[in-house]
Amino acid sequence: AQTVTQSQPEMSVQEAETVTLSCTYDTSESNYYLFWYKQPPSRQMILVIRQEAYKQQNATENRFSVNFQKAAKSFSLKISDSQLGDTAMYFCAFMKLPNFGNEKLTFGTGTRLTIIP
Amino acid sequence: GAGVSQTPSNKVTEKGKYVELRCDPISGHTALYWYRQSLGQGPEFLIYFQGTGAADDSGLPNDRFFAVRPEGSVSTLKIQRTERGDSAVYLCASSLAPNYGYTFGSGTRLTVV
């Protein structure tokens, strides 16, 4: 079974600064996917960024980037030039390589991020 | 529809009652997932459907929980003899290619009093 650990229950940062959220995971799989999801008060989980484990290059999406360290089983999220709209819960999630097209996500417990004006 | 729709948005029920939670996925998405999110926790997998069939129901906590998707589109999560411990947000998601991530609905907050 896979486990995902987010060791920072809460973080806060000033607007326009950079913040890094930590995530570690445990798996015996060699191929898998990793995701960061954002959950604002509206409750809807929104995909922020994804990483394929077999790709060495770190994924980036505009102000969001990851530091993927496969050997260390670490997958941190960096948010640059943080904005008030980034305030939300952030969840790290793991997915095994899908068999027959589908697989479930395993989530961490989340980090509550607050951007301070 | 444009997104995943879940109804009702909030549901309060008395202990011991039966409830149904509905999920309307994105049109054409063959895979549909149910997750449960307790306060202060990440979502936990309950069940997923590929088409009309339950491909994996290993996350259902006990036999009071059941889900159907009779026509391969709308799904209903059914909870019998509700208990206070069932109080949580129930999230539904659908996908065409899950390795690109799911699209989630806004969830149903179930409160059992």
Side-chain angles (χ1 to χ4, degrees):
Chain A
Q2 285 69 231
T3 59
V4 178
T5 302
Q6 293 179 251
S7 58
Q8 304 153 313
E10 295 188 22
M11 293 189 72
S12 60
V13 66
Q14 293 288 138
E15 190 177 5
E17 291 186 349
T18 294
V19 62
T20 299
L21 308 184
S22 302
C23 172
T24 57
Y25 58 94
D26 189 25
T27 184
S28 57
E29 303 286 330
S30 56
N31 288 321
Y32 46 86
Y33 299 91
L34 295 164
F35 303 86
W36 279 98
Y37 279 87
K38 168 184 176 181
Q39 187 178 41
S42 66
R43 296 197 307 241
Q44 185 176 19
M45 302 282 279
I46 300 165
L47 178 64
V48 173
I49 198 165
R50 65 185 283 273
Q51 174 79 42
E52 298 160 351
Y54 53 87
K55 289 188 176 178
Q56 291 187 342
Q57 186 173 6
N58 288 324
T60 63
E61 287 286 343
N62 301 313
R63 299 182 295 108
F64 299 87
S65 61
V66 298
N67 183 3
F68 173 49
Q69 302 289 329
K70 191 173 184 180
K73 296 181 181 173
S74 170
F75 183 60
S76 61
L77 174 69
K78 184 170 86 169
I79 306 174
S80 304
D81 184 27
S82 56
Q83 300 175 0
L84 296 179
D86 295 334
T87 293
M89 284 290 291
Y90 285 81
F91 291 95
C92 179
F94 173 100
M95 177 190 286
K96 290 191 327 182
L97 200 67
N99 287 325
F100 307 108
N102 288 285
E103 264 296 342
K104 60 194 177 196
L105 285 168
T106 300
F107 287 88
T109 52
T111 296
R112 182 177 301 281
L113 176 65
T114 302
I115 309 300
I116 303 165
Chain B
V4 177
S5 175
Q6 290 190 247
T7 54
S9 179
N10 293 282
K11 175 74 176 176
V12 180
T13 191
E14 291 181 347
K15 180 174 177 293
K17 298 287 189 185
Y18 167 83
V19 296
E20 290 189 351
L21 311 180
R22 176 188 167 105
C23 173
D24 198 341
I26 291 174
S27 178
H29 280 192
T30 55
L32 183 147
Y33 306 80
W34 284 99
Y35 283 76
R36 178 168 73 172
Q37 186 175 20
S38 301
L39 194 61
Q41 300 295 315
E44 294 179 310
F45 171 77
L46 294 176
I47 185 171
Y48 97 76
F49 291 87
Q50 181 63 39
T52 60
D56 183 351
D57 64 358
S58 61
L60 294 177
N62 51 60
D63 61 6
R64 295 186 298 106
F65 288 74
F66 190 71
V68 296
R69 194 186 186 198
E71 297 177 357
S73 178
V74 171
S75 176
T76 305
L77 179 65
K78 308 179 180 199
I79 311 174
Q80 298 178 321
R81 304 183 304 280
T82 51
E83 299 176 357
R84 292 197 178 88
D86 298 335
S87 296
V89 173
Y90 289 81
L91 294 167
C92 178
S94 68
S95 71
L96 204 50
N99 48 312
Y100 283 85
Y102 308 164
T103 301
F104 282 85
S106 295
T108 294
R109 181 180 298 282
L110 176 67
T111 304
V112 182
V113 297

